């Protein structure tokens, strides 16, 4: 039996191009892996088997004809936040449990045009609000490294599916850490691009000034291939930036001599939700490896870091309260039974259709935007957001990339933080500033630590870059992955 799941996207693509495997064979293989394993993980909301096989068949014809793009025939999973024509798009919510999109998100369309086969839609926190995948209407996802722990969120289904190799790669979205934090918890590689690099059209909106889609895969080289397909200008998204898409695979092997790596002193602390000591040891070992590859480690300051969580939890709820007002039981989505009048229709449809965390965010956001409070909260938060961006601008005059842990600790147990929203919010303490500034950042697996669940769990290191420096981040990550094998490790239970 061929172990296709141990192959990277880069390898699978080469095998498809060489005719060593057909896309139908490969797609069937991964559909079987999902069918045989996902009852343990709950990483998929929908498996689009029939569509996948018919897309695979079409890909095989293109491969036979020659000149097919690199990703032709490679099966990938999409986070259930992306609209997919004819396939349910739930966004992890009861509100959209009955929603079948009449069109494709640009990310989905771009990837399909690049030859990708869609295996299905992955589980996620409801409307992408969460850090553990426990707010999903479809139930929590389990972390493949330890089924008692969370996979992170909100792209937890994508992270778990890639980690257990139920899909060779997946898409995710990141508003405050939702690609990087689950990538870190599940031991995979994830990239949040610069705000505006990837179209948001057809991606269910959470906080429009922060949301950004990106690839989640085994390695930096796989993420480069996926980003090549995802990125680009789209006139349907007014914040999408008209800028050429470089070949993200071109500079992966550039030597790192002279690379200046900034280490923000505010991120390397142990106080108040700071980093766990075992996580720190693993991160420091990774940094030493970079030094041995010719990089220089420079201590830097990001003095406004402590503002990022409070600022985010004003800006994100404010924007979500505006975005989610469209779910009113009239246009689409869930509608309550037997409404008495229009008001009852609105309030009960929203009260029954949205889960507790989403309702909490809508209330906080509506409050922050209401007259009398707007200046004190929303406006203030937007002003502070500039200070956070300015910290990064100054830092990038001194260094090429910034490194830090992706999360203060490794994956926690299911239920450990569900009753304490603030503790949950603090799991994004290292990832949120990046979204507020709009810069790109990755998480790569750099080892294991026993920080939380009593079992050795993956540690993710974050690599942040200046605007549009995705190619640099991928290069820096790839060179590390050439020297280490963390990214090729598989959780015991999903090896075979
Ligand atoms: N955990 C953060 C939140 O709940 C980030 C979510 C995200 O990036 N989508 O808002």
């Amino acid at each position: 039996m061929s172990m296709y799941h141990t192959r990277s996207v880069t390898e699978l693509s080469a095998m498809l191009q060489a005719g060593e495997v057909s896309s139908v064979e490969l797609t069937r293989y991964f559909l079987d892996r999902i069918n045989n394993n996902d009852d343990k993980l709950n990483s998929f909301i929908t498996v689009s088997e029939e569509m996948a096989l018919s897309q695979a068949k079409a890909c095989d014809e293109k491969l036979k004809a020659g000149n097919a793009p690199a990703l032709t025939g490679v099966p990938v999973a999409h986070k259930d936040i992306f609209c997919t024509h004819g396939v349910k798009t739930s966004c992890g919510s009861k509100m959209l449990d009955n929603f079948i999109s009449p069109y494709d998100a640009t990310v989905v369309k771009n990837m399909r045009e690049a030859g990708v086969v869609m295996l299905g839609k992955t589980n996620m926190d409801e409307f992408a609000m969460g850090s553990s995948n426990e707010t999903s209407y479809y139930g929590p996802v389990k972390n493949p490294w330890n089924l008692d722990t969370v996979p992170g969120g909100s792209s937890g289904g994508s992270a778990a599916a890639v980690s257990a190799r139920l899909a060779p790669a997946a898409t995710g979205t990141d508003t405050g850490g939702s690609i990087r934090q689950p990538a870190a918890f599940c031991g995979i590689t994830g990239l949040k691009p610069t705000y505006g690099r990837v179209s948001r059209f057809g991606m269910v909106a959470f906080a429009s000034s922060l949301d950004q889609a990106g690839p989640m895969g085994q390695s930096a080289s796989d993420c480069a291939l996926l980003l090549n397909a995802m990125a680009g200008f789209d006139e349907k998204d007014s914040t999408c930036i008209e800028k050429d898409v470089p070949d993200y695979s071109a500079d992966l092997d550039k030597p790192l001599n002279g690379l200046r790596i900034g280490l923000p002193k505010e991120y390397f602390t142990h106080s108040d939700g700071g980093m766990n000591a075992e996580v720190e040891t693993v991160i420091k070992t990774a940094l030493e490896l970079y030094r041995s590859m010719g990089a220089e480690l420079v201590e830097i300051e990001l003095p406004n870091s402590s503002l990022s969580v409070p600022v985010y939890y004003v800006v994100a709820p404010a924007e979500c309260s505006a975005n989610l007002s469209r779910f009113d039981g009239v246009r689409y989505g869930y509608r309550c039974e037997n409404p008495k009048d229009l008001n009852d229709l609105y309030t009960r449809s929203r009260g029954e259709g949205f889960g507790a965390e989403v309702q909490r965010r809508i209330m906080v956001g509506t409050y922050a935007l209401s007259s009398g409070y707007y200046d004190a909260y929303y406006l203030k938060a937007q002003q502070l957001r500039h200070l956070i961006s300015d910290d990064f601008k100054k830092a990038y005059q001194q260094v090429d990339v910034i490194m830090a842990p992706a999360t203060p600790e490794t994956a926690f147990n299911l239920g450990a933080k569900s009753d304490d929203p603030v503790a949950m919010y603090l799991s994004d303490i290292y990832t949120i500033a990046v979204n507020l500034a709009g810069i790109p950042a990755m998480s790569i697996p750099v080892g294991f630590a026993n920080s939380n669940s009593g079992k050795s769990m993956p540690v993710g290191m974050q690599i942040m870059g200046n605007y549009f420096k995705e190619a640099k981040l991928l290069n820096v990550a790839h060179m590390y992955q050439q020297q280490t094998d963390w990214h090729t490790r598989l959780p015991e239970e999903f090896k075979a």
Side-chain angles (χ1 to χ4, degrees):
M1 185 66 185
S2 304
M3 301 272 282
Y4 295 125
H5 65 282
T6 60
R7 306 294 191 144
S8 66
V9 168
T10 313
E11 288 167 333
L12 293 175
S13 143
M15 291 167 84
L16 284 158
Q17 297 279 343
E20 289 163 27
V21 64
S22 73
S23 178
V24 168
E25 216 178 318
L26 210 52
T27 302
R28 186 71 270 163
Y29 180 86
F30 281 99
L31 289 169
D32 288 345
R33 257 187 95 71
I34 298 170
N35 288 335
N36 296 335
N37 292 287
D38 204 38
D39 52 339
K40 285 180 238 154
L41 298 175
N42 196 27
S43 67
F44 279 82
I45 292 174
T46 304
V47 180
S48 41
E49 178 158 343
E50 220 173 285
M51 183 186 274
L53 290 169
S54 88
Q55 285 179 349
K57 216 167 142 222
C59 288
D60 282 332
E61 274 154 33
K62 285 196 198 114
L63 284 161
K64 269 198 212 104
N67 275 333
L71 289 175
T72 307
V74 175
V76 163
H78 285 304
K79 184 176 182 180
D80 207 19
I81 197 169
F82 294 102
C83 284
T84 42
H85 187 192
V87 175
K88 176 163 112 172
T89 299
S90 75
C91 215
S93 183
K94 178 177 177 187
M95 186 57 93
L96 290 176
D97 183 46
N98 62 4
F99 178 62
I100 301 200
S101 170
Y103 64 94
D104 276 327
T106 299
V107 162
V108 172
K109 172 177 153 276
N110 285 353
M111 291 184 78
R112 197 190 49 242
E113 285 170 4
V116 162
V117 170
M118 178 174 87
L119 292 167
K121 311 286 296 287
T122 56
N123 202 345
M124 56 180 285
D125 278 301
E126 186 177 10
F127 285 101
M129 297 172 197
S131 308
S132 66
N133 224 292
E134 292 168 296
T135 72
S136 170
Y137 174 60
Y138 302 91
V141 176
K142 312 282 169 62
N143 189 317
W145 291 94
N146 174 354
L147 299 175
D148 295 329
T149 65
V150 302
S154 65
S155 312
S158 289
V162 174
S163 164
R165 305 294 195 264
L166 308 190
T171 53
T173 63
D174 191 312
T175 303
S178 281
I179 288 177
R180 291 160 287 155
Q181 188 253 19
F185 278 10
C186 292
I188 65 161
T189 304
L191 165 64
K192 181 208 94 79
T194 308
Y195 182 79
R197 177 74 286 187
V198 175
S199 170
R200 290 182 299 110
F201 178 76
M203 196 173 109
V204 179
F206 164 13
S208 306
S209 75
L210 300 161
D211 299 342
Q212 188 62 202
M216 302 177 79
Q218 299 161 41
S219 63
S221 54
D222 282 5
C223 286
L225 277 178
L226 295 176
L227 189 62
N228 282 340
M230 291 173 89
F233 177 64
D234 177 12
E235 60 184 18
K236 296 198 187 93
D237 170 4
S238 62
T239 60
C240 197
I241 290 165
E242 201 160 357
K243 188 171 165 55
D244 287 345
V245 179
D247 176 358
Y248 291 109
S249 307
D251 290 336
L252 287 173
D253 290 308
K254 256 195 178 165
L256 301 184
N257 300 332
L259 179 82
R260 288 162 308 160
I261 301 176
L263 306 179
K265 77 176 204 311
E266 295 78 4
Y267 286 53
F268 286 86
T269 127
H270 297 284
S271 56
D272 306 333
M275 163 176 51
N276 168 280
E278 280 203 38
V279 169
E280 179 174 26
T281 309
V282 172
I283 297 287
K284 294 226 156 123
T285 309
L287 293 172
E288 273 316 307
L289 184 58
Y290 274 106
R291 203 210 293 272
S292 76
M293 288 191 275
E296 183 194 340
L297 307 181
V298 186
E299 189 183 87
I300 58 159
E301 285 182 28
L302 297 171
N304 294 293
S305 296
S306 65
L307 298 175
S308 59
V309 171
V311 165
Y312 175 88
Y313 279 99
V314 172
V315 173
E319 294 183 10
C320 103
S321 81
N323 276 325
L324 271 56
S325 65
R326 73 191 67 173
F327 302 105
D328 55 6
V330 176
R331 283 166 264 212
Y332 46 77
Y334 177 79
R335 175 180 294 176
C336 68
E337 300 278 340
N338 307 317
K340 282 202 312 282
D341 53 26
L342 188 61
N343 210 34
D344 187 45
L345 168 81
Y346 288 154
T347 51
R348 274 205 296 125
S349 297
R350 288 169 68 77
E352 292 164 16
F354 289 136
E357 181 62 24
V358 173
Q359 295 192 26
R360 180 181 296 122
R361 305 270 180 121
I362 292 174
M363 283 192 282
V364 170
T366 306
Y367 180 83
L369 289 177
S370 55
S371 81
Y373 296 108
Y374 181 91
D375 290 358
Y377 295 110
Y378 188 66
L379 203 65
K380 190 67 160 191
Q382 291 292 18
Q383 288 163 342
L384 296 177
R385 193 171 171 179
H386 279 285
L387 298 180
I388 293 166
S389 314
D390 287 347
D391 281 357
F392 282 112
K393 279 185 200 135
K394 277 187 212 129
Y396 288 123
Q397 289 168 3
Q398 254 182 290
V399 297
D400 304 303
V401 295
I402 297 174
M403 291 188 187
T407 58
E409 50 179 22
T410 55
F412 44 88
N413 282 323
L414 283 145
K417 297 183 199 241
S418 352
D419 298 329
D420 186 350
V422 174
M424 189 71 91
Y425 298 168
L426 285 173
S427 31
D428 304 318
I429 192 158
Y430 296 142
T431 50
I432 275 180
V434 159
N435 301 75
L436 290 165
I439 58 173
M442 295 184 73
S443 175
I444 60 169
V446 293
F448 290 83
N450 191 349
S451 86
N452 226 320
S453 59
K455 208 170 170 183
S456 189
M457 296 295 284
V459 173
M461 186 165 79
Q462 195 176 186
I463 313 172
M464 301 169 247
N466 209 346
Y467 299 102
F468 296 104
K469 295 292 187 201
E470 286 83 0
K472 175 82 310 178
L473 296 185
L474 289 161
N475 162 225
V476 169
H478 177 74
M479 292 306 278
Y480 176 88
Q481 292 179 335
Q482 295 303 100
Q483 308 271 327
T484 56
D485 69 353
W486 307 115
H487 63 290
T488 65
R489 307 234 185 151
L490 269 160
E492 201 53 49
E493 220 166 319
F494 300 93
K495 271 191 179 146

